[in-house]
Amino acid sequence: MKIPESGDPYLEGHKCGSCGAMYLGARSVCSKCGARDQMQLTRLAKTGKLYAYSIVHRTFPGIEVPYISAVVDLDDGATLKGNLIGIDPDPAKIKFDMPVEVVFADALGRKDREGNSYLSFFFKPKA
Ligand SMILES: [Zn+2]
């Protein structure tokens, strides 16, 4: 995740200059087309569709449950895992393929030792 001095934070990915495949982590060889050293840094899409989710009821102490762990296919082809917020953790309300957007917020109220909030990204149902 990148936080520019001005403007909105964004997620950064690596795009193959040869075939356009998207990757989150840095790599030098495209596993889709085999192109070498063609990776370009790019901003990831801010919208996508819910691919999979699970409702988490048990986790580490101090983290509020239940929450929704989701996998989202971004509109640019990258796949991202994160928490889904802004919707009840109720399977009857969560639809596969529903449109979501990437939002940035404090990471569940967690603070570091200096008391700074962690900024993290979440998925939120798109209105
Ligand atoms: Zn490629």
Side-chain angles (χ1 to χ4, degrees):
M1 188 175 71
K2 298 281 169 178
I3 306 173
E5 280 188 31
S6 61
D8 296 330
Y10 61 93
L11 296 170
E12 197 172 64
H14 300 261
K15 185 177 188 176
C16 175
S18 177
C19 73
M22 292 284 296
Y23 301 98
L24 293 181
R27 63 180 68 201
S28 60
V29 178
C30 178
S31 59
K32 197 169 175 191
C33 73
R36 195 170 284 271
D37 300 323
Q38 297 285 317
M39 291 297 161
Q40 297 156 358
L41 280 177
T42 182
R43 285 183 184 215
L44 294 182
K46 293 176 101 176
T47 53
K49 282 185 172 151
L50 183 65
Y51 173 71
Y53 71 90
S54 63
I55 298 170
V56 179
H57 292 277
R58 285 164 191 247
T59 182
F60 302 102
I63 297 177
E64 220 175 293
V65 289
Y67 66 89
I68 309 163
S69 174
V71 178
V72 167
D73 284 333
L74 294 179
D75 291 339
D76 56 15
T79 301
L80 201 57
K81 193 169 185 290
N83 291 348
L84 179 65
I85 59 170
I87 187 168
D88 292 337
D90 175 354
K93 294 186 178 169
I94 306 166
K95 303 269 184 273
F96 289 111
D97 261 355
M98 70 180 190
V100 297
E101 60 185 336
V102 177
V103 296
F104 295 89
D106 284 356
L108 305 172
R110 272 175 274 178
K111 308 251 191 236
D112 70 12
R113 279 187 222 154
E114 278 83 49
N116 299 308
S117 298
Y118 290 107
L119 190 68
S120 188
F121 71 90
F122 298 91
F123 303 116
K124 203 174 155 188
K126 214 173 152 204

